[in-house]
Amino acid sequence: MAGEPAPVQIVHPRDVVLAPGGGISVRRTLPDRHRSLIGAWCFLDHFGPEEPSVHGGMRVAPHPHTSLQTVTWLFSGKVEHRDSLGTRMVVRPGQLNLMTAGRGINHSEYSTHDSETLHGVQLWTALPAAHRLTDPRFDHYEPQPVTIGEHRVSVFLGRLAGATSPVGTFSPLVGAEIVLGAGELALDVDPGWEYGLLVDSGAISVDGEALADAELGYLAPGRTRLVIRQEADGPRPTRVVLIGGAPFGEQIIMWWNFVGRTHAEVVNYQANWQAAIGQSNGEGTNPRQFGPITALTDREPPIPAPPLPPVHLRPRG
């Protein structure tokens, strides 16, 4: 029927080992061959629950970023974040940790020794062209959950269900954790926005479409309401992560840990990072772009950038 919203598109996760030397593996749904962006959201990793003592936990040595924001949201466990701004923060469940890379930053992430179970998501948002070279910064926020019937909604970015996060973003977007109870949860949403629902645990339906554990459902613009229902009980709470935003409207190049706009720009980022860690090929323009290296003497050295592919990097969006 004319005027009805497009069906839910299901994105299946793929397994990726997070660190070159092993350790935690993640289930990645963004970017996908069929879906690069949901609003400004351009990257989504989902990990755990796992025991760091068994699998090595999160061990990500210093590495660079440009023109994006990183979002860390944990369900359990703790991760120590350090960055070239001098930030040292232990990330805990239910707390937003948002790092704005802007023109360039580097950071490291290690699960803490007292983390019995590590479980959560890490996401990126792409910065629009007008703000992509902004000053780096770090934000921390702990939202108070909103109760709707038997459901609990924690809005860590943007606005949803009557709750608003005070943390600033550079494009219109939303991010929230939803723990489902019995019955339907109906959420009013912006019909001009697109949305994604990642199933952390359990089985749900959204607008009548079934989504299983670790799947991401993409919802195109056109809806004024999302109806989410828990379809099966399990040993863990039925939990989803909702992301969304206005269609980004720009093309970006994503390669390794960089977001850029041109092939030449990404080539320069790679060369600058290699120069910063003492592996210069002599082609970078600013080895100080990413600030001082955040390595600790008792942990791994910075991660070198991989070789660039022998093809011209193409934008997507």
Side-chain angles (χ1 to χ4, degrees), residues 2-51:
E4 288 190 354
V8 178
Q9 175 190 357
I10 299 176
V11 179
H12 301 283
R14 63 189 188 280
D15 293 330
V16 177
V17 177
L18 197 58
I24 192 170
S25 69
V26 301
R27 299 172 293 280
R28 184 166 296 167
T29 45
L30 281 182
D32 177 75
R33 187 160 56 97
H34 302 293
R35 175 62 46 197
S36 295
L37 294 158
I38 298 178
W41 300 95
C42 60
F43 183 90
L44 200 171
D45 275 358
H46 176 210
F47 53 89
E50 70 163 43
E51 297 179 27

